[in-house]
Amino acid sequence: MRDFPPERVRNFSIIAHIDHGKSTLADRLLELTGTISKDSVNKQVLDKLKVERERGITVKAQTASMIYNHKGEDYLLNLIDTPGHVDFSYEVSRSLAACQGTVLLVDSCQGIQAQTVANFFLAFGEDLNIIPVLNKIDLPGADPEKVSRQIETTFELDVSNVLAISAKTGLGVKDVLPRIIEQVDAPNADASAPFRGLLFDSWYDKFVGVVCLVAVRDGNLRKGDRIVSAHTRNSYEVTDLGIMFPNQVSTASLESGQVGYVVLGMKTTRDAHIGDTFYREGSPVEAFPGFEPAKSMVFAGMYPIDSVDYTKLQEALDRLTLNDASVSVAKESSVALGQGFRLGFLGTLHMDVFRERLEEEYDSTVINTAPTVPYIVKYTNGTEKIIRNPAQFPDMEEHAKVAAFLEPMVSGTLVFPSEYLGPLMDLCGAHRGEQQDYTFIDDNRVMMKYALPMSEILTDFYDQLKSRTSGYASFDYEEIGYEAADLVKVNILLNGKAVDALATIVHRSAADRVAKDWAKRLKGVMSRQLFEITIQAAVNNRVVCRESITAVRKDVTAKCYGGDITRRMKLLDKQKAGKKRLKTMAGGVQLPQEAFLTLMRGSSR
Amino acid sequence: MEAAQLAELTHSLTRSPLTNEPVTAGRRTVTSVYFGGGTPSLARPTMVSKILNLLPTLCNVPADIEVSLEGNPTSIETARLHEFRNAGVNRLSLGLQALDERDLKFFGRDHSAQDGRRAVEVAREVFDRVSVDAIWGRPGQTVEAWTRELEEIATFGVSHLSLYQLTVERGTPLFRALTQKTTTVPDADFSADMYEATVSTAARLGYMQYEVSSFALHGERRNRSAHNSSYWTGSDYIGIGPGAHGRVRDGPRGRVRTYRVLEPRAWMAQCERDGHGMRRVVVVSDEETAREVVLLGLRTTDGLDFDILRTVSRAECPVEKTLDVARVEELIAAGLLEWTSSQGNGAADRFEDAVGLRATTKGLAVVDRVVSEILA
């Protein structure tokens, strides 16, 4: 590693909108440098987790180091991968902070999309050298001229020599690395200063524990060294370190300006705080700026359908969170559902991905309650409370003491063909959005900014966005703090008893509609039972609608002799298995898991 | 065929189904014999005699043993019925199914309504216990039409009625017709109406329901089917012949289910070779036996008897292991079940005082659902 002084190191990443070819380009570069072989097993090597592979997105960031000879000199090129979704923008920003430059990859058919914009601004904020590259020029719809102009207008980047490539066919790819070497600054590293490293990613390996990805800013690191986390003040011994080539390859040291992995004997990724600074024990340094502890923006309750499985669920959650420190887990209990957990996610995609992984990991049925954002209640006596669960919403008697309710807001960026301007303004307006800005990116595309309550984009906003624009619109958002809101609680009552797990907090303007919709939807997924079921929905305890399901009156086998009995018993066993998917509420009403799922999906507007 | 049946009967009463070893624990008591399952009218009276003569050599036979024969109205001839009577049959079960010509055709029967009426008449002359089978819930059938038919059936004065709702089995022409939507059967609510009408009409006409589909004249016990009752009270039953099912206690080894080879020739060949035609013997756990007793007991108006439950499942443990008592209480509150007390037909207030559990009239109509919910 000492063969590579900072001048011959380049740390860069590739940023792009979803499906603009980031992973394909990364594969090509790795193949080109001989780091991986050309066979198909390596397809999109950087997407390691199956769920991510299935959904075509990168959630975990990986790094790969390459060695490339340019003008007679060997360079160490570190490709730092970045998560591709808006929910993980903090992780993206920290990965970018580990680089000095980035390739801004834009699909030359689709042009700039919302995440191209979002990622650009993150990179810009980290002061990186940004190299625009047009991709997919092999496609018939490619229009490199037009897209170059978009880039120039929107980002004020120099596109006079912009590279136009096709990562899929390999066309033009050989020019990418030389361009990077020439245009990305070498890391500004001080080899003589005490060790200072930026932790920008981690994962859990079942053999060695937590593996951290570190960008060495100053100094160097060797096996056996002891380093300290600036955030937790925990100290660790480096038991192994090296580079990702693309899999872990041990080296004797990591030098200043370089990027690689370290194994510290950490037991859980919760101890590895993304954006943290590591320094040598005894030589504290100034921490890197921009560090933030992970912040959960979407909360959902998770309960085992059968209370005997509580421990099993706990263990499954423990296993999964070993490798995902950004999920917060708190114990919770519900009158209706018993003992369970409240999980906090970075966003709805994060929640969906996590839920899928949980279903694979934990082999029984889990009940999820409808997702909610953290609201704030301000009391007249000056105190404040954060509410992550509708059950915590103040009772009606307490309302006199409430000064205000606050809800988290986001600033959403939408990029779409201008013909959809009307429908999208309607969509945002219907979701209590306030327009902040709009500009034309080029002749027929608009970039629009709206301030929206975060709760409004939780469920069907994204789907609506896509369907109203035939898939052409893209969306990104960032949090912009809290605002006052007129909030009420919608409750579902079954046979007169309020079910705390079937409650939600909404804006007063939407309350009646949500109440009626929930009652109807619930009726739709519940089957007739042995007694009549009355479903009522109430807004702040005032019942606004009612549905009923009549009791089943006939369910009996006509004949039951000899061989019939055997068949009947078999059927009974099968039904027992099916019963496991039903949760019995107070008063004997049985709810299928679907009841909770359907309410999570949001209303069709 | 005859030889095979006799061989199998002997085997079933003298050897363990599981081990084939001779049974040493003494003789069983056989309380009923039923000749059925297919077209047993093809069975000859001599066959009946042979079997009834063989039985006392193998087991205890009470004087009031019930010997039933299942018959179709087409194959009835007066002379033959008398022969069966002489051979020892003391109860006849007639598969009337319907008194409507079109429905009979729909059921694929080769007898006419008139054949049916005549057959009942003859049967009544020969036997004092006659049961008539009829099916309701046919495509296009109205409650009124069924009620009228039932009223006519009641005029025959037979001792027992089996009134079954039409059940659609996979692979039948009816099943296909339903999937192709060329016909319909009553939906759940209409079935409920028809079922209620069946029970109340039958009662009005003197036939009291004692099991979901079984009705005894004047509600008298001697008019019930002893054979069927044994299924529902957890007794052993031995099935003889191709495809027959059985459930017996095999000594200390516990309860087993027996399955005979289905195809007649293959079954006969095996009987010749091994002395029996069992293709499979499955041990039934005590827990499963307990569940079975609950399932069957609740189908009867007498209900589930806790003593029987404990005895048959060899359980020294309390009833709570098999039943979810809390759920039972919820269903009692909903009017679907009641605890039975030792005082005649009374209901008990609490589980602690109960000797059994039974479904109410409302509960019997949904007893399948009830059972699946109260089994622990």
Side-chain angles (χ1 to χ4, degrees), chain A residues 528-531 552-563 565-566 568-569 572-573 575-576 579 588 590, chain B residues 164-165 189 192-193 195-196 213 228 231-232 237 245 259 291 295 299 327 334 365-369 372-373 375:
Chain A
R528 291 169 78 178
Q529 295 178 29
L530 285 173
F531 17 77
V552 70
R553 287 169 58 212
K554 183 107 183 2
D555 190 353
V556 58
T557 312
K559 289 194 191 188
C560 210
Y561 311 123
I565 299 178
T566 315
R568 223 21 228 116
M569 292 303 293
L572 212 56
D573 283 336
Q575 284 170 346
K576 200 166 166 203
K579 255 170 73 175
Q590 289 173 335
Chain B
Y164 301 114
Q165 176 174 16
D189 280 310
D193 291 339
Y195 172 77
E196 279 165 27
S213 306
N228 292 340
Y231 292 130
W232 304 320
Y237 52 95
H245 288 246
Y259 302 80
R291 285 204 298 275
L295 170 78
R299 289 178 63 89
R327 192 70 178 138
V366 289
V367 84
D368 278 10
R369 184 76 68 96
S372 79
E373 293 206 11
L375 284 177

Side-chain angles (χ1 to χ4, degrees), chain B residues 47 69 110 113 127 142 151 179 210 213 238 240 245 255 268 285 321 353:
Chain B
M47 181 71 231
L69 176 70
D110 22 295
F127 299 99
T142 61
E151 281 165 356
T179 10
Y210 69 95
S213 306
I238 299 171
I240 303 287
H245 288 246
R255 247 168 172 226
M268 272 197 293
S285 68
K321 196 161 163 237
D353 305 327

Side-chain angles (χ1 to χ4, degrees), chain B residues 75-85 118 121-123 125-127:
Chain B
S75 54
I76 298 299
E77 296 159 18
T78 317
R80 298 201 76 204
L81 275 191
H82 276 114
E83 279 174 51
F84 278 111
R85 182 91 184 74
R118 175 100 186 100
E121 214 181 293
V122 172
E125 285 167 21
V126 180
F127 299 99

Side-chain angles (χ1 to χ4, degrees), chain A residues 202-204 209-212 236 265-273 318 321-325:
Chain A
S202 70
W203 66 84
Y204 185 80
V210 179
V211 180
C212 296
Y236 302 93
M266 242 187 223
K267 295 282 184 294
T268 156
T269 52
R270 303 183 97 68
D271 289 337
H273 299 263
D318 286 343
T321 52
L322 271 180
N323 208 11
D324 189 344

Side-chain angles (χ1 to χ4, degrees), chain B residues 274-309:
Chain B
D274 299 339
H276 68 82
M278 280 188 295
R279 68 169 171 86
R280 214 169 142 230
V281 181
V282 177
V283 174
V284 182
S285 68
D286 289 337
E287 291 74 35
E288 170 127 5
T289 300
R291 285 204 298 275
E292 216 173 82
V293 171
V294 170
L295 170 78
L296 297 170
L298 285 177
R299 289 178 63 89
T300 65
T301 52
D302 288 344
L304 164 71
D305 183 317
F306 290 158
D307 274 337
I308 292 183
L309 177 63

Side-chain angles (χ1 to χ4, degrees), chain A residues 22-43:
Chain A
K22 181 177 76 157
S23 303
T24 317
L25 177 58
D27 278 0
R28 282 289 158 281
L29 296 178
L30 288 172
E31 281 169 15
L32 212 137
T33 53
T35 320
I36 60 174
S37 65
K38 277 189 170 35
D39 63 64
S40 57
V41 173
N42 284 316
K43 192 170 171 49

